[in-house]
Structure formats: structure tokens, C-alpha cells
Amino acid sequence: MDFETVIGLEVHAQLLTCTKIFCGCSTAFGRPPNSLTCPVCLALPGALPVLNRKAVEFAMKMALATGCRINEQNVFARKNYFYPDLPKGYQISQDTLPLAEGGHILIEVQDGNTKIGIERIHMEEDAGKLIHDEANRASYVDLNRAGVPLIEIVSKPDLRSPAAAVHYLKSLHEILVYLEICDGNMEEGSFRCDANVSLRPRGQSTLGRRTELKNLNSFRHVQRALEYEVTRQRRLLEKGLEVEQETRLWDEAQGMTMSMRSKGEARDYRYFPEPDLVPVVIDEAWVAKVRADLPELPQARRERFVSAYGIPAYDAGVLTSDRRLADYYEDVVRLCDRPKIAANWVMGDVMRLLNEDRRGAHDCPVMPESLAEMILLIEEGVVSGKMAKEIIEQMYRTGRPPAQIIAEKGMVQITDEGELDATIAAVLEANPRQLAEYRGGRDKLFGYFVGQVMKLTGGKANPKLVNDLLKKALHHD
Ligand code: ADP
Ligand code: ZN
Ligand code: MG
């Protein structure tokens, strides 16, 4: 039988606010355990939460970027469960009146774009972290993360393959990072995902029984875990067995999912409205203000780069993969008006140098002004492409503008025809065998002569001029 794969993802993203969602504690990562806590996030009796406005605005940004409807009435709810990393014994989350509902994003699949529905986006607080010390048979709790703001983004079951799920996840990730509301760090847990997956006979409209996969710490884990699970479920169904509705953990080392808890053990969270927080009213004026603040989103920017700058879609994809890199590129183009050449330099030498130092485009020592100037100097024939490579390296190391580096290094291109003619004559004289072969019809040797001239001039000869003069010289004799 032919089965169709159905996947829906629940994504948790930590918001990049300076302070926690209901108290003034810092959200910094990697600080000494329990140093970023207070009576509110430690859940001491009598301490009351106060909502962080910035967290709401960050969440609104994501809602608007994904075309969601923002609910005017926002109500927080208590989600009750007992676990040692949750000091209050409940998590403040949202239930029946979440921040936003009914959005979608477009993902690119083989045959064009597909719309993936977003069921809802809601705000909640993160829990603390347990550290198990097996040697000392002890467990510790670090509550620095307790109360860090999260949004949960729940997709509709619209994804039809593990690859599509990863695509969707990467798009969400890209949008969150573009909006600068999440650092997207999967290793540190700022961006986490649970995957729900089921199969159904192709053509059937009702959904099959699903499993929920946890412990997916990278895009690769998501892909592998889903692939494993699809195969596991298909084998069961093909044998006429049933898929149990359960939560399963991905074990990366063993490359398999393992049952964690079944539906029977599913938790009853006893949701009820949080009495310590008033409902938040998000009126149209507030929505409009946040909307006006949205940057151009990656997909729109990619399309604009192709249409406005006439660069290939591939280049547009690379250049917009990072918002600051795209800004950098646009600054360079604004200054030199050479979009394709600028794309080549940014994607080539600039990105290589930045990657080597794990640096972002926002603190690139090569100022956009300098790169633009260098591009124009190449075009004017003042420097050759080869010299430019050296100049850009110097600009990167010193932060100086190209004119200064050229002057200091005496790197000005040789465009003096007399000097070049003399060099060409010397090259031809030194290579009588090659010259005879060239005249005998080995046209390819032209490149060899050009190479010799470049070598003799230390790469400073203007290549175009060398070409012209060499042609003349070879024809004259
Ligand atoms: P719960 O809150 O009980 O986990 P939800 O209805 O909120 O369930 O769904 C959670 C996620 O699971 C959503 O992303 C949804 O699209 C997905 N999902 C629900 N049913 C299925 C199914 N049968 N197969 C695959 N995904 C599903
Ligand atoms: Zn606190
Ligand atoms: Mg749910």
C-alpha cells in the first residue's frame, strides 16, 4: 500500500530580550548556576509576575512576519505539571486565547512554493535546567533559564516529507534571526523543535495515528529522526499492526527513536487562566506600530535582489542568508553601482575572510566604502584583479582604504606601453622555442606568453593591455 507522510512541528524559540518574561533577571547564557534569579523566577511565596512588554512585541513581530492574526485579547494560562526544573509547579503559558493564529509561510520545494499553515503562536516562560552528576549520584538544578521568554510556533499538519519539515524549520529559523528576536542557536537550546509524524493511506483525508519526537538538537537530527520514524511506522502498518500514540526520544548515537511515554501516561495539564496577570489587550495601533518596525523579510529580499540588481538567484540566496551581510552588500552596491561584481567580491574574498575569523558582516573591517572604491579602481584599470585580491586582504587586516594600501605598497598597475613592450620583447626573446611553436599554429601558447609577462612584472601589468600589445608584437615580427 502507498502511504502518505504527514508531519506537524512545534517549535520553541527563545526571545532575545535582555530580561526574563515576568521579572527583571537577565537572560544571559552560561552564567554561574542560579546567579540570575529572584523571588519571582524562584517562585517564592507572594512574588508576583509582571509582563515584559518587549517580549510581547518580539512575539508580535514573528506573528506578523508569518501572516498570523493577532488576538486582541491575550490571556495567560497556567499549565500544571510537576518537575524539579519548574519551581512554581506550573508554567505560565497561553491556552485558549494565544497571541496569534492562522498564519503560514512559503517553503520552496522541487516544484515551486508550498504554503505551510501555522496553527498558532503563543508566549510562555522557559523552565530551568537539571544537571545530573552520575559520579556523585546527585542532581542539581540551575534556574537561570527559568522565566526566559519563549514563543511556541505550532504548524498545521501540512508537511509531507522529512525534507519539507527541515525546509520549513530552516525558514522559521531564518525569519526569527532576521527579525533579531532569537539568536537561533540550536546547541544552546534557543531554537528547539518537537516533531509529530503519522502515515495514512494515500487519498485518505483523516489523519493517521501520530507519534511525537523529542530530543532533536539539530536540523540533521530532525531529518534523521523523521526518516527513521516514517520507516518504523510504515513497517508496522504494512504488517497490519497499529502505531501507538506516544512520545518518542531520538537517540542520535543509535540512530533510532525510543518510546518515552504512551498516550495512557499523557499528562493532564489542568489549564486555567493565570490569576496573577491581567489579560493583555493588543489594539490595532500597537499592531501597526510593530508592523511598521518589521524589516524586509528574507524571501522578499531575495526576490528584490534578483529583480533590482539582476544577480543570479543563487547569489541572492547567499547574500540574503544573513541580514547584516545583505545590508553590507547593498551598501557596496549603492556606492559603486556594480551589483554583479560586488556580489562576487562579497561572496568570495569578503565572506572567506569573515568565515575564517568567525566574524559577522556587521563588524567587517573592510568598510563598504573601501570595497566599492576598489571595485571602481579595478574597472578603471588602476589595479588588476590579482592585485585586488592582495589589497582586500590588506584592507581586512588593517581597515585602511585601498588608495592608501596601493600607495604604501607601490601596487599601481603598469599601464605604460613602452615599459610593457620592452617586457614583451624580453619574454619573446627568452622563449624562442615557444615562439616558433606559436607561429606554427599552437595558439594556446598565447596564454603562456601573457603568463610570462605577468610573472616578470610581479603581477602588476594591466592584463588587457598586455593582451593587446602581445597580439601586436606577435603579428609584427
Ligand atoms: P498536542 O497539543 O496534543 O500535542 P496539537 O493538536 O496541538 O496536539 O498538535 C501538535 C502538533 O502536531 C501540530 O503541529 C500538529 O500539526 C501536529 N499533528 C497533529 N496531529 C497530527 C497527525 N495525526 N500527524 C502528524 N502531525 C500531527
Ligand atoms: Zn527573576
Ligand atoms: Mg500542542
Side-chain angles (χ1 to χ4, degrees):
M1 190 181 274
D2 186 18
F3 290 105
E4 180 178 47
T5 301
V6 175
I7 299 168
L9 301 183
E10 294 165 283
V11 170
H12 284 95
Q14 263 183 22
L15 299 179
L16 270 179
T17 52
C18 301
T19 55
K20 295 186 181 180
I21 185 166
F22 300 121
C23 65
C25 292
S26 163
T27 55
F29 182 82
R31 294 295 159 81
N34 300 305
S35 60
L36 308 176
T37 55
C38 74
V40 174
C41 54
L42 290 175
L44 299 189
L48 290 171
V50 176
L51 181 59
N52 181 337
R53 169 182 285 268
K54 202 89 202 180
V56 180
E57 289 184 349
F58 281 7
M60 286 166 74
K61 282 191 176 184
M62 190 56 181
L64 292 173
T66 52
C68 289
R69 217 166 347 93
I70 293 184
N71 286 323
E72 192 174 11
Q73 285 281 325
N74 259 258
V75 172
F76 284 93
R78 289 188 182 180
K79 180 178 179 178
N80 299 277
Y81 64 93
F82 292 101
Y83 205 65
D85 63 6
L86 190 69
K88 290 193 291 291
Y90 59 84
Q91 176 193 30
I92 304 180
S93 179
Q94 295 191 285
D95 184 28
T96 51
L97 282 171
L99 174 78
E101 294 170 274
H104 71 269
I105 62 169
L106 291 175
I107 62 164
E108 287 153 35
V109 285
Q110 304 98 313
D111 37 4
N113 288 345
T114 309
K115 236 184 198 186
I116 306 301
I118 289 178
E119 183 80 46
R120 57 187 267 146
I121 298 180
H122 70 251
M123 298 175 277
E124 60 188 26
E125 59 180 337
D126 210 343
K129 213 185 268 177
L130 291 177
I131 299 137
H132 303 290
D133 179 349
E134 281 178 38
N136 293 310
R137 301 191 52 79
S139 287
Y140 303 94
V141 66
D142 175 6
L143 295 174
N144 284 353
R145 203 179 64 184
V148 167
L150 298 176
I151 48 175
E152 179 172 341
I153 305 159
V154 183
S155 85
K156 295 232 165 81
D158 286 350
L159 297 154
R160 293 291 171 266
S161 68
V166 170
H167 248 83
Y168 163 82
L169 205 55
K170 286 188 172 165
S171 300
L172 276 193
H173 185 269
E174 185 179 55
I175 295 170
L176 287 162
V177 174
Y178 239 73
L179 292 172
E180 297 180 335
I181 59 172
C182 174
D183 68 19
N185 192 325
M186 285 180 99
E187 278 152 46
E188 290 175 7
S190 324
F191 181 84
R192 324 194 273 268
C193 162
D194 297 336
N196 296 271
V197 53
S198 63
L199 298 186
R200 63 180 170 193
R202 200 171 288 282
Q204 178 184 306
S205 58
T206 53
L207 296 172
R209 188 150 334 127
R210 71 174 144 139
T211 58
E212 181 178 0
L213 310 182
K214 289 185 179 288
N215 197 33
L216 309 171
N217 301 323
S218 72
F219 293 119
R220 207 177 85 92
H221 291 192
V222 173
Q223 172 111 20
R224 288 189 69 202
L226 281 169
E227 277 166 0
Y228 175 88
E229 193 58 19
V230 166
T231 307
R232 190 189 68 87
Q233 290 188 11
R234 189 190 306 117
R235 288 197 182 134
L236 285 173
L237 295 171
E238 277 167 356
K239 281 192 225 154
L241 298 170
E242 290 202 330
V243 171
E244 266 217 66
Q245 179 156 349
E246 61 183 354
T247 302
R248 299 179 68 89
L249 281 186
W250 171 245
D251 184 326
E252 173 68 13
Q254 295 198 61
M256 59 192 289
T257 62
M258 282 180 294
S259 182
M260 179 178 135
R261 61 168 175 260
S262 72
K263 170 96 174 157
E265 304 158 48
R267 291 158 163 175
D268 173 7
Y269 293 118
R270 297 176 293 120
Y271 277 104
F272 63 87
E274 166 61 70
D276 290 342
L277 288 162
V278 293
V280 183
V281 177
I282 300 178
D283 60 14
E284 272 175 37
W286 195 8
V287 173
K289 199 168 145 264
V290 173
R291 193 191 296 277
D293 225 33
L294 285 183
E296 184 181 25
L297 294 170
Q299 212 149 20
R301 203 167 193 187
R302 266 196 291 282
E303 283 159 19
R304 181 171 62 79
F305 273 26
V306 171
S307 60
Y309 298 136
I311 57 172
Y314 173 80
D315 294 19
V318 174
L319 293 167
T320 56
S321 63
D322 176 282
R323 182 171 159 192
R324 298 298 157 190
L325 186 69
D327 291 345
Y328 180 89
Y329 168 72
E330 290 211 272
D331 284 344
V332 176
V333 173
R334 203 170 298 123
L335 293 159
C336 73
D337 197 23
R338 300 291 182 278
K340 179 56 188 154
I341 300 172
N344 292 346
W345 282 104
V346 173
M347 288 165 43
D349 293 69
V350 173
M351 275 180 74
R352 174 180 56 80
L353 290 162
L354 289 173
N355 288 340
E356 278 170 13
D357 290 346
R358 298 174 161 274
R359 248 171 137 148
H362 56 279
D363 69 357
C364 182
V366 181
M367 294 287 114
E369 292 76 9
S370 298
L371 184 56
E373 191 184 325
M374 196 191 76
I375 288 170
L376 292 175
L377 288 172
I378 301 170
E379 196 166 278
E380 288 159 16
V382 177
V383 298
S384 67
K386 185 161 175 277
M387 285 154 78
K389 279 192 155 322
E390 202 184 320
I391 293 168
I392 203 164
E393 190 92 25
Q394 290 295 323
M395 292 199 291
Y396 184 84
R397 304 285 164 226
T398 64
R400 297 203 194 128
Q404 201 177 335
I405 291 164
I406 291 166
E408 278 170 12
K409 301 244 159 194
M411 284 210 286
V412 177
Q413 190 162 229
I414 301 169
T415 50
D416 182 298
E417 295 197 11
E419 189 181 343
L420 289 178
D421 271 333
T423 312
I424 288 169
V427 165
L428 296 182
E429 201 181 314
N431 296 283
R433 190 170 54 81
Q434 283 84 348
L435 183 60
E437 283 179 28
Y438 178 81
R439 295 232 156 101
R442 271 193 75 191
D443 293 346
K444 273 195 205 151
L445 282 169
F446 189 82
Y448 169 79
F449 295 129
V450 174
Q452 291 302 304
V453 175
M454 295 309 284
K455 199 170 151 193
L456 266 184
T457 56
K460 287 188 191 174
N462 177 322
K464 184 170 173 338
L465 202 52
V466 171
N467 264 275
D468 294 347
L469 296 175
L470 190 61
K471 253 178 225 156
K472 266 191 221 152
L474 288 166
H475 282 240
H476 268 261
D477 291 359

